[in-house]
Amino acid sequence: ISWSRPRAELRSALFGLRFGEHVAENEYAELNDYFVETAAYGAVVAARDSIFVGHRGTGKTANALQAFDEIARNKTNLAVLVKPPGFEFPGLLAAVARIPNHQHDYLFDTLWRFVVQTEIAAAALFRIEARAPGVPADAAEEAFLKYVDSAPFRVRADISVRLEQALNHLLSATEVPSVTAESTRDLINEAFHDKALAELRHQLGPVLRDRKRVAVFIDNLDKGWEARADLNVLARLILGLLTARGRLVTDFKKSDSWRDEIQLTIAIFLRSDIYNYLKTQAREPDKLPLETIEWRDPETLLTVIESRFLAGRSDTEDAGDLWTKYFCSTVDGVPTRQFVCDAVLPRPRDIVYFCNAAVGRAIDRRHDQVLEEDFKAAVDTYSTYAYEALLVENGITIPEMTEALLSLLGSPVVQPRSVVLAGLKASGLPDDRCEPVLAKLISMSVLGLETDTDIFDYPEVGSQMERAAAYANRVQPDIARQRLRLHQAFWSFLGATN
């Protein structure tokens, strides 16, 4: 290479080819250009109440953001996006510690009704005040604006400000030595302005009764789910949201002398590992309304890459050009489309990361096409990423996750269940933790179940897991001899032998 040549001549023809950020929060402005609508997205947009569960990187936040935008575009709706920050968890935990255990559920239920109702009020207020100058407010809106100015909580403030004020009030009230268990509920109601919320419900009726739908989307519930946190308390906090959701929807449907009916729906987005933990805490886990966000169809997963490719190219190119002009046709004799899908966990975040890694390597090597060697190098880079991401997602609820994964170092890709359990025990896990940790490895798609001879499935939560387990029992009734297969995403990092 002659370094006297212009810099542009030294660039790969792939320079500028990118598939966007693999984290949806980092590219909110561009997301609409290449968002892939799936059946899961249709369920999110539909007027229903549900918990949308998915692994890290499956697109929960992307679905929440896009659904919010779509509902908001219709002016007959009101869309509300609730993203609790990693908010005053120390203050919340301090308040919980001062309140009798039997009042905890009431505290969480009241807290969430306060959050959701005041966020609806904030969204309605923004809609009114964002109108063009000169557009007058009607009588109901004038009454609502007057109420906002007199409310004991700041509707115009950020959600974290309202929460901090409520928690500080509760903390100061429970410092009084004479506080009894009987009076705790009154203190909770006072801190979260129970009487003022009743008036708010009254004022919202005339303002929102003509809305076709008031759609609330709640995301970011994993912010407090971190090391050293009290997971039992956090689980009850989220379960309190599920209870509050049902009560709010029921209350908003009522119409009587002091309130008008409002068509409210609440969709909650939750990480799979947190949902699995919640099931251990819920009284009736089977009654939790569940929708899964998944990408089991390879062709659907590939559209994630193709749509992002087209968003950054000229109108003269189509999706097929990615696989013929920019990517080599095969890798180790396997069609590149199949190779890419086999190499990654079936999640948008993972396939975007992998393809960006392959393109980046090709650019560094001044290749004018992403070659086999670039894809193979990306396998190593991505496998490390997949391992580290798994620890981030599951190292909280399963503190032994590092030991569990490293117990698979150098192991065969396919092993009997008994051998995997023996490896977990040899890594130092107590006997009573080996089965739960193995179940976790299966639920996180690290290990797949043999559902037919030499056919392995990596099921998601819920009914899919139950069905896969039933098929595995049919293939091999002896559970100890059932075969498990390590997902290809982890082969490189763990040095698995095929």
Side-chain angles (χ1 to χ4, degrees):
I1 297 176
S2 172
W3 295 104
S4 62
R5 291 163 59 191
R7 181 181 300 176
E9 293 183 21
L10 300 176
R11 286 178 176 172
S12 158
L14 299 171
F15 192 82
L17 175 62
R18 292 281 294 175
F19 301 102
E21 292 278 351
H22 58 281
V23 180
E25 293 93 327
N26 295 344
E27 52 176 7
Y28 180 35
E30 297 81 14
L31 188 60
N32 190 57
D33 296 336
Y34 43 69
F35 178 77
V36 176
E37 295 186 4
T38 63
Y41 176 70
V44 172
V45 172
R48 67 174 70 174
D49 303 294
S50 194
I51 309 168
F52 293 89
V53 176
H55 291 306
R56 190 170 182 264
T58 52
K60 297 182 297 300
T61 293
N63 275 273
L65 294 174
Q66 286 297 110
F68 168 79
D69 284 346
E70 179 166 336
I71 297 299
R73 280 195 292 270
N74 186 334
K75 299 305 180 183
T76 65
N77 297 325
L78 180 69
V80 184
L81 182 62
V82 181
K83 294 173 71 71
F87 65 91
E88 304 300 313
F89 279 107
L92 174 62
L93 296 177
V96 168
R98 295 182 187 175
I99 290 175
N101 185 69
H102 69 277
Q103 295 284 10
H104 288 179
D105 291 344
Y106 184 77
L107 166 64
F108 296 140
D109 173 65
T110 306
L111 179 150
W112 283 115
R113 285 190 286 115
F114 171 78
V115 167
V116 173
Q117 283 189 248
T118 57
E119 285 292 278
I120 292 173
L125 178 65
F126 177 81
R127 178 74 69 88
I128 295 170
E129 296 186 333
R131 289 180 188 151
V135 178
D138 60 28
E141 291 168 342
E142 288 287 359
F144 176 68
L145 292 172
K146 185 177 180 180
Y147 168 80
V148 166
D149 290 334
S150 63
F153 43 81
R154 295 166 58 189
V155 177
R156 291 183 176 86
D158 185 79
I159 178 178
S160 60
V161 173
R162 276 177 263 132
L163 280 169
E164 183 178 9
Q165 290 176 338
L167 289 172
N168 285 343
H169 181 85
L170 187 59
L171 282 170
S172 62
T174 52
E175 285 178 352
V176 179
S178 60
V179 171
T180 64
E182 292 72 20
S183 64
T184 302
R185 182 169 295 216
D186 292 335
L187 293 177
I188 294 172
N189 289 336
E190 181 182 338
F192 293 102
H193 309 288
D194 186 62
K195 293 181 179 179
L197 285 180
E199 178 61 20
L200 173 60
R201 172 67 180 89
H202 168 68
Q203 295 292 344
L204 285 172
V207 174
L208 299 177
R209 63 188 173 194
D210 293 330
R211 298 290 179 189
K212 183 178 179 181
R213 179 182 174 192
V214 175
V216 177
F217 303 96
I218 304 178
D219 192 22
N220 266 28
L221 292 173
D222 59 343
K223 290 302 181 182
W225 207 265
E226 57 188 22
R228 298 180 299 278
D230 188 330
L231 299 187
N232 290 332
V233 171
L234 292 178
R236 292 178 71 177
L237 170 67
I238 297 175
L239 287 170
L241 169 60
L242 306 185
T243 302
R245 173 196 58 83
R247 292 186 179 182
L248 282 167
V249 170
T250 299
D251 175 74
F252 274 55
K253 285 181 179 178
K254 292 180 179 178
S255 177
D256 48 36
S257 60
W258 68 275
R259 56 189 164 184
D260 295 295
E261 180 180 359
I262 299 172
Q263 299 301 318
L264 175 66
T265 63
I266 301 177
I268 300 167
F269 298 82
L270 199 59
R271 230 169 52 196
S272 295
D273 62 306
I274 298 177
Y275 173 77
N276 285 328
Y277 191 89
L278 290 186
K279 288 199 302 181
T280 68
Q281 304 295 312
R283 294 189 182 93
E284 298 179 286
D286 294 338
K287 292 187 177 181
L288 297 178
L290 177 65
E291 297 277 352
T292 56
I293 298 178
E294 58 187 34
W295 299 81
R296 295 171 68 85
D297 175 30
E299 289 300 316
T300 303
L301 183 63
L302 289 170
T303 60
V304 172
I305 290 300
E306 293 171 350
S307 63
R308 288 169 175 247
F309 165 73
L310 293 175
R313 315 309 294 178
S314 67
D315 293 338
T316 60
E317 293 185 307
D318 59 35
D321 290 331
L322 175 63
W323 307 101
T324 57
K325 179 179 177 182
Y326 296 95
F327 287 176
C328 61
S329 59
T330 63
V331 180
D332 284 342
V334 177
T336 302
R337 292 168 63 88
Q338 180 184 337
F339 180 87
V340 171
C341 289
D342 289 344
V344 302
L345 292 165
R347 304 166 191 177
R349 184 177 300 185
D350 289 63
I351 195 171
V352 170
Y353 184 98
F354 177 81
C355 289
N356 277 337
V359 170
R361 203 267 187 180
I363 291 174
D364 290 345
R365 293 299 179 96
R366 305 296 192 271
H367 297 162
D368 292 331
Q369 187 183 51
V370 185
L371 305 178
E372 288 192 36
E373 64 183 79
D374 301 316
F375 280 113
K376 291 179 182 179
V379 166
D380 295 335
T381 302
Y382 164 72
S383 190
T384 301
Y385 165 80
Y387 168 81
E388 293 174 348
L390 192 69
L391 292 182
V392 170
E393 184 174 355
N394 296 278
I396 307 304
T397 52
I398 304 292
E400 310 98 335
M401 185 57 70
T402 298
E403 292 82 355
L405 290 171
L406 294 182
S407 74
L408 300 169
L409 275 173
S411 64
V413 168
V414 177
Q415 298 184 87
R417 186 186 186 97
S418 60
V419 174
V420 177
L421 285 170
L424 291 173
K425 184 176 181 180
S427 72
L429 267 69
D431 289 351
D432 63 344
R433 291 295 298 157
C434 290
E435 283 286 356
V437 171
L438 177 55
K440 188 67 174 180
L441 293 176
I442 294 172
S443 73
M444 295 310 302
S445 300
V446 176
L447 296 170
L449 301 172
E450 188 173 23
T451 55
D452 203 347
T453 304
D454 293 327
I455 302 295
F456 293 84
D457 188 23
Y458 299 85
E460 299 284 338
V461 297
S463 59
Q464 288 184 5
M465 184 68 68
E466 296 168 358
R467 183 180 66 177
Y471 273 120
N473 290 334
R474 183 178 300 178
V475 173
Q476 175 52 262
D478 185 349
I479 295 179
R481 296 174 60 192
Q482 289 179 0
R483 298 199 303 167
L484 304 173
R485 182 178 186 268
L486 181 66
H487 195 287
Q488 192 168 325
F490 304 100
W491 288 6
S492 174
F493 183 83
L494 295 176
T497 57
N498 194 358

